[in-house]
């Protein structure tokens, strides 16, 4: 898997959720991630159109899917759902996927939003895409993205 994952080109970071999906994007040199949007979950056909449009528009080369693992590192039901979603997204976009430990990303994103004085009402709309940004930046900053203990792939 790691040999097939691109080391150049923009990556899409996904913070999977059953109600919302946070989306972040990296620079083409894979050094900086930025929040892109929060997608309200809908029908798979509609989501497929949206993701394919984003992947084409931003010339995405790979997908980094946040994997919600337990503190022990074990995968539960949410991780299985995230893997299923990531596999589906990889298939429809025809892009390689890697799964990345997303522990603490939401709490770190919440901390940043509070620190910047964002109102509670606005925090909810920005939280998922900021969590995706934090997760994607963690992947980008990892010294060895494919051997790091938090890198979990198929």
């Amino acid at each position: 898997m790691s040999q097939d994952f691109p080391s150049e080109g923009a990556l899409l970071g996904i913070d999977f959720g059953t109600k919302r999906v946070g989306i972040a994007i990296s620079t083409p040199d894979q050094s900086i991630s930025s929040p892109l949007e929060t997608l309200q979950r809908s029908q798979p056909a509609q989501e497929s159109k949206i993701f394919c449009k984003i992947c084409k528009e931003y010339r995405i080369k790979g997908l980094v899917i946040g994997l919600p693992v337990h503190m022990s590192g074990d995968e539960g039901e949410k991780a299985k759902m995230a893997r299923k979603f990531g596999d589906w997204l990889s298939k429809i976009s025809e892009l390689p996927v890697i799964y990345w430990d997303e522990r603490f990303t939401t709490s770190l994103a919440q901390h940043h939003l509070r620190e910047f004085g964002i109102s509670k009402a606005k925090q909810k709309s920005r939280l998922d895409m900021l969590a995706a940004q934090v997760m994607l930046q963690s992947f980008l900053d990892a010294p060895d993205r494919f051997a790091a203990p938090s890198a979990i792939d198929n």
Side-chain angles (χ1 to χ4, degrees):
M1 173 65 170
S2 62
Q3 295 104 317
D4 298 337
F5 202 79
S7 58
E8 296 179 353
L11 301 175
L12 208 60
I14 306 290
D15 179 53
F16 170 79
T18 55
K19 295 180 182 173
R20 292 176 304 279
V21 175
I23 306 169
I25 188 169
S26 79
T27 53
D29 67 356
Q30 298 184 5
S31 62
I32 299 170
S33 70
S34 300
L36 187 61
E37 67 180 86
T38 297
L39 173 67
Q40 293 293 324
R41 297 298 307 273
S42 61
Q43 298 299 316
Q46 183 65 21
E47 290 180 17
S48 175
K49 287 179 188 175
I50 292 167
F51 278 111
C52 287
K53 180 181 181 221
I54 290 171
C55 290
K56 184 177 181 181
E57 181 179 340
Y58 292 97
R59 298 185 176 126
I60 301 301
K61 301 297 183 195
L63 307 168
V64 181
I65 309 292
L67 196 63
V69 295
H70 297 296
M71 292 305 293
S72 65
D74 295 332
E75 293 186 25
E77 197 56 40
K78 281 233 177 185
K80 289 176 186 168
M81 292 169 66
R83 282 189 181 276
K84 185 176 178 183
F85 180 82
D87 292 348
W88 170 80
L89 188 54
S90 177
K91 184 177 179 180
I92 64 148
S93 66
E94 299 180 348
L95 292 170
V97 66
I98 193 164
Y99 296 91
W100 194 254
D101 184 342
E102 70 164 25
R103 282 179 281 188
F104 307 114
T105 57
T106 300
S107 59
L108 188 55
Q110 286 172 323
H111 173 75
H112 288 314
L113 289 169
R114 281 192 306 270
E115 200 171 70
F116 289 117
I118 306 295
S119 71
K120 286 236 183 224
K122 289 183 180 179
Q123 282 183 25
K124 187 173 183 173
S125 68
R126 297 179 183 175
L127 182 61
D128 296 301
M129 67 179 166
L130 190 55
Q133 177 194 13
V134 169
M135 183 274 305
L136 181 56
Q137 192 65 53
S138 168
F139 174 79
L140 298 175
D141 291 344
D144 186 342
R145 299 173 182 177
F146 308 105
S150 60
I152 306 168
D153 62 41
N154 287 350

